[in-house]
Amino acid sequence: MEHIITIEGGAAFAVSTEEDSLLRGALRAGIGMPHECSVGGCGACRFDLVSGDMETLWAEAPGLSERDRKRGKRLACQSRPRGDCTIRIRCADEYTPAVAPRRGLARLEGRRQLTPDMSEFSLRTAWPAAFLPGQYALLYPPGTEGARAYSMSNLPNADGLWQFVIRRVSGGRGSNALFDRLGVGDEVAIDSPYGNACLRDTPAREIVRIAGGSGLAPMLSIARAALARPDAPPVRFFDGARTAADLCGESLLGDCPPPHRLSYTPVLSMPDASPGWRGAVGFVHEEVKRALPQPLDRYEFYFAGPPPMIDAVQTMLMHKHGVPFQQIHFDRFF
Ligand SMILES: Cc1cc2nc3c(=O)[nH]c(=O)nc-3n(C[C@H](O)[C@H](O)[C@H](O)COP(=O)(O)OP(=O)(O)OC[C@H]3O[C@@H](n4cnc5c(N)ncnc54)[C@H](O)[C@@H]3O)c2cc1C
Ligand code: FES
């Protein structure tokens, strides 16, 4: 069974009644529907329902402001068609998935503790792990409402191996369910890949990666992919963490070939908790500004992490150093 969705003044497409959201159905149909987080946090997928019946999945999703709600706006990632509908939204080619997302079950093959609250999860699907470095998957943690986004930390492969670096969030329902209720051998629903902050073909510019906390995962995948290109310029990797015990980027990058093309700078925001630390301290974006030879518009920037870090890096690059928006690529971890 399918519902036909018509975009006012644009294309019409079919969404299976099995789909859990309008956004996922549209992207699977090859429609360039705007999105960023896929989980109700960013508001990039706002649309107007012109006619038809649409279920709202998460009424309190922070991606809509009170003003948006009063104006009748909806989020495509938190809406599910109940019949044929007409919607108003501006789609763009840049959002058309380069790799069509695929849904199914993945088996947990192994879990490796990296820091006191971060572990590497290795999942296996029966189909190839097709994605662009920097993209994320949606996992459906057992007993939890809604999907959670987790970025792949490995490289695409034909063996169906999907690796993630996941932080256990204090009080968080989804992350705790993955740590406590998903055992080795268990299956979890996966829908992947999503996201636009992936590695671009810009070999001429030096590449800077900035990771905050669990923002490490997509930065690892991008760094691994960039270093595997024989003609790629050097990669500078800034890894922001609270204490030395929270750092694991350098060991995870250890398997990357030619180490001379990679410089790794750990930065601690709570150095007092790490006696004997002699490395960089403060917020990671401050160290980026201090350590990088200027001007900053000669680099291609990729960063991922909590929203305050993303905002700080974006403001520093765009407003204070005039880095063009096309040279910055990021994922906010809502
Ligand atoms: C693009 C992206 C990539 C990410 N990559 C990583 C990563 O590689 N590693 C990592 O550790 N974390 C990552 N995150 C963060 C991760 O998705 C979770 O937000 C985090 O694990 C906390 O989830 P929680 O369920 O424990 O916390 P909770 O506070 O229970 O939930 C947090 C998030 O879940 C969603 N949510 C909550 N309630 C509902 C509901 N009722 N219905 C639908 N959705 C709901 C919302 O997006 C909310 O912000 C990423 C986030 C995004 C957006
Ligand atoms: S993509 Fe829907 S709120 Fe972010």
Side-chain angles (χ1 to χ4, degrees):
M1 282 270 293
E2 290 175 333
H3 301 309
I4 302 300
I5 309 298
T6 306
I7 299 174
E8 207 178 53
F13 57 97
V15 171
S16 158
T17 50
E18 305 284 301
E19 283 292 354
D20 69 348
S21 80
L22 169 65
L23 175 68
R24 255 96 74 195
L27 295 176
R28 232 181 295 281
I31 302 291
M33 191 168 276
H35 65 287
E36 193 186 302
C37 70
S38 298
V39 288
C42 70
C45 63
R46 271 177 305 206
F47 74 101
D48 295 299
L49 179 63
V50 178
S51 66
D53 188 9
M54 194 79 76
E55 175 189 1
T56 297
L57 303 171
W58 185 22
E60 302 80 31
L64 284 181
S65 64
E66 271 320 302
R67 189 160 172 264
D68 287 331
R69 288 194 168 86
K70 280 191 189 131
R71 292 167 63 208
K73 296 281 177 196
R74 295 164 186 256
L75 295 174
C77 68
Q78 300 301 328
S79 300
R80 188 177 184 187
R82 284 192 180 123
D84 295 351
C85 297
T86 300
I87 62 172
R88 193 177 305 122
I89 190 168
R90 198 184 296 255
C91 293
D93 287 348
E94 65 188 280
Y95 295 107
T96 307
V99 182
R102 183 167 174 174
R103 284 190 306 171
L105 290 175
R107 190 176 299 279
L108 180 65
E109 236 179 43
R111 202 172 82 195
R112 178 164 68 116
Q113 185 165 4
L114 302 172
T115 71
D117 62 2
M118 283 202 288
S119 288
E120 180 184 68
F121 286 67
S122 298
L123 301 175
R124 182 82 64 176
T125 56
W127 63 91
F131 60 88
L132 302 176
Q135 286 194 295
Y136 60 88
L138 295 173
L139 298 183
Y140 294 76
T144 309
E145 218 172 303
R148 298 294 185 269
Y150 294 104
S151 310
M152 279 68 81
S153 60
N154 63 333
L155 291 175
N157 59 87
D159 307 324
L161 178 65
W162 306 76
Q163 288 184 303
F164 305 92
V165 174
I166 300 182
R167 190 163 78 84
R168 186 197 277 271
V169 174
S170 172
R173 287 153 293 167
S175 59
N176 281 283
L178 290 174
F179 275 86
D180 298 334
R181 298 175 61 177
L182 187 71
V184 171
D186 290 348
E187 288 183 324
V188 64
I190 185 172
D191 191 350
S192 183
Y194 290 96
N196 308 307
C198 37
L199 184 63
R200 303 297 200 277
D201 274 328
T202 46
R205 267 192 286 274
E206 225 176 292
I207 292 167
V208 178
R209 319 253 177 261
I210 311 166
S214 53
L216 189 64
M219 297 300 105
L220 282 172
S221 182
I222 288 176
R224 285 172 166 149
L227 288 168
R229 292 179 180 174
D231 59 337
V235 173
R236 295 171 188 259
F237 198 117
F238 293 85
D239 188 4
R242 285 163 303 182
T243 70
D246 299 315
L247 288 168
C248 58
E250 191 166 25
S251 58
L252 288 171
L253 282 165
D255 56 356
C256 284
H260 56 275
R261 289 200 290 128
L262 172 73
S263 79
Y264 175 79
T265 308
V267 188
L268 298 189
S269 60
M270 292 169 56
D272 294 349
S274 309
W277 177 256
R278 290 206 177 79
V281 299
F283 290 122
V284 65
H285 68 283
E286 290 163 355
E287 179 60 20
V288 170
K289 184 173 69 179
R290 201 195 59 72
L292 278 183
Q294 313 261 332
L296 296 188
D297 63 3
R298 65 202 242 198
Y299 306 101
E300 196 80 13
F301 288 91
Y302 294 85
F303 45 105
M309 177 211 127
I310 299 298
D311 292 343
V313 177
Q314 203 181 354
T315 303
M316 190 245 327
L317 295 178
M318 289 181 67
H319 300 314
K320 303 203 174 127
H321 291 271
V323 179
F325 189 63
Q326 306 87 279
Q327 281 169 236
I328 68 171
H329 319 282
F330 57 86
D331 262 333
R332 280 191 181 86
F333 282 13
F334 286 101

